[in-house]
Amino acid sequence: MEEVYSTLTDKMSEGKSSPYEALQYLQSFVARKKKSVGKDNMGLTIFFGADLLAQRKAFNYVGELLDWYIDSDLFDIETSLQRIEELLKKFTPEDAEPVAQCIYAPLHQKVVKGMTKENRNDLQTRLVKLDAIFADVFQKTKKWSNAYKTVLRLGDIERAATILNDWAKDAFKYEKPLFYAR
């Protein structure tokens, strides 16, 4: 794996490519090497590439990369949820927001489709942890609609009420009663 990481670091570095070109290189690298490197190692490679893109402050491309990964046949629910959680915890809410916007819906769909009787409780627990991170990110970045939906999914009605109040203050400063009437 050291050779793979070295190659990616070299090809995806700031002076050698734009963030978009780095993303494209990583995706083509994964497509070419997935059989020889193995599924779990490809997951590690993708998250290594996400870290490289994050170092370049290309968080929208991190989101695109993870969205692509979630839709691929390489995505392993068991290990990837933990890796996504760890990755998002490294970022500030402002940095995590474009990533969260990109992966929130496809990640939930993939996890729900991948649930079985055996893994249901574990996946639900992991998804709740991720939803808590998503809710914090959306609330702190004032993405009110997403924050509200996420908090409702968590079942935190008091927090949902706080978000609605903050949303009304922020978005409808002089029309707060109309906001609630709608």
Side-chain angles (χ1 to χ4, degrees), residues 164-165 167-182:
L164 275 179
N165 193 39
W167 188 0
K169 283 182 198 175
D170 185 46
F172 302 96
K173 194 174 192 176
Y174 301 107
E175 298 177 1
K176 189 174 177 182
L178 289 174
F179 173 79
Y180 282 105
R182 289 183 199 140

Side-chain angles (χ1 to χ4, degrees), residues 3 18 20 61 112 131 169:
E3 184 179 326
S18 70
Y20 176 76
Y61 290 113
V112 169
D131 276 341
K169 283 182 198 175

Side-chain angles (χ1 to χ4, degrees), residues 15-75:
K16 300 236 177 172
S17 63
S18 70
Y20 176 76
E21 291 169 334
L23 171 66
Q24 293 298 307
Y25 177 79
L26 178 60
Q27 288 174 329
S28 68
F29 181 87
V30 168
R32 285 177 298 164
K33 303 285 186 180
K34 67 182 177 183
K35 288 184 181 175
S36 62
V37 176
K39 186 176 180 177
D40 191 48
N41 286 336
M42 274 299 116
L44 291 171
T45 302
I46 288 167
F47 282 94
F48 181 79
D51 279 333
L52 292 174
L53 289 168
Q55 289 170 13
R56 296 178 69 173
K57 305 289 186 205
F59 297 103
N60 55 331
Y61 290 113
V62 173
E64 287 184 31
L65 173 65
L66 293 179
D67 181 38
W68 174 79
Y69 174 55
I70 290 166
D71 286 338
S72 76
D73 60 339
L74 295 170
F75 186 77

Side-chain angles (χ1 to χ4, degrees), residues 7-177:
T7 301
L8 289 177
T9 302
D10 179 50
K11 297 287 186 177
M12 295 176 67
S13 64
E14 195 160 342
K16 300 236 177 172
S17 63
S18 70
Y20 176 76
E21 291 169 334
L23 171 66
Q24 293 298 307
Y25 177 79
L26 178 60
Q27 288 174 329
S28 68
F29 181 87
V30 168
R32 285 177 298 164
K33 303 285 186 180
K34 67 182 177 183
K35 288 184 181 175
S36 62
V37 176
K39 186 176 180 177
D40 191 48
N41 286 336
M42 274 299 116
L44 291 171
T45 302
I46 288 167
F47 282 94
F48 181 79
D51 279 333
L52 292 174
L53 289 168
Q55 289 170 13
R56 296 178 69 173
K57 305 289 186 205
F59 297 103
N60 55 331
Y61 290 113
V62 173
E64 287 184 31
L65 173 65
L66 293 179
D67 181 38
W68 174 79
Y69 174 55
I70 290 166
D71 286 338
S72 76
D73 60 339
L74 295 170
F75 186 77
D76 177 47
I77 295 174
E78 302 295 328
T79 58
S80 297
L81 291 179
Q82 181 66 34
R83 290 177 184 155
I84 290 171
E85 181 183 339
E86 291 168 4
L87 184 68
L88 290 174
K89 284 181 177 179
K90 291 180 192 178
F91 302 158
T92 65
E94 292 75 21
D95 294 342
E97 188 271 327
V99 178
Q101 287 280 7
C102 235
I103 68 170
Y104 183 79
L107 180 65
H108 280 79
Q109 291 170 358
K110 187 78 163 203
V111 171
V112 169
K113 285 180 184 176
M115 282 187 182
T116 63
K117 288 181 181 179
E118 294 80 32
N119 70 4
R120 180 177 309 266
N121 290 336
D122 182 47
L123 290 181
Q124 285 176 338
T125 302
R126 289 179 186 210
L127 206 52
V128 166
K129 286 181 185 178
L130 274 171
D131 276 341
I133 293 169
F134 288 136
D136 288 342
V137 167
F138 292 141
Q139 188 173 6
K140 289 176 182 173
T141 58
K142 298 183 179 184
K143 302 297 181 200
W144 301 119
S145 178
N146 291 336
Y148 182 70
K149 290 174 191 172
T150 306
V151 170
L152 284 180
R153 180 174 281 183
L154 291 169
D156 191 346
I157 301 304
E158 289 180 27
R159 188 172 176 190
T162 301
I163 288 171
L164 275 179
N165 193 39
D166 291 343
W167 188 0
K169 283 182 198 175
D170 185 46
F172 302 96
K173 194 174 192 176
Y174 301 107
E175 298 177 1
K176 189 174 177 182

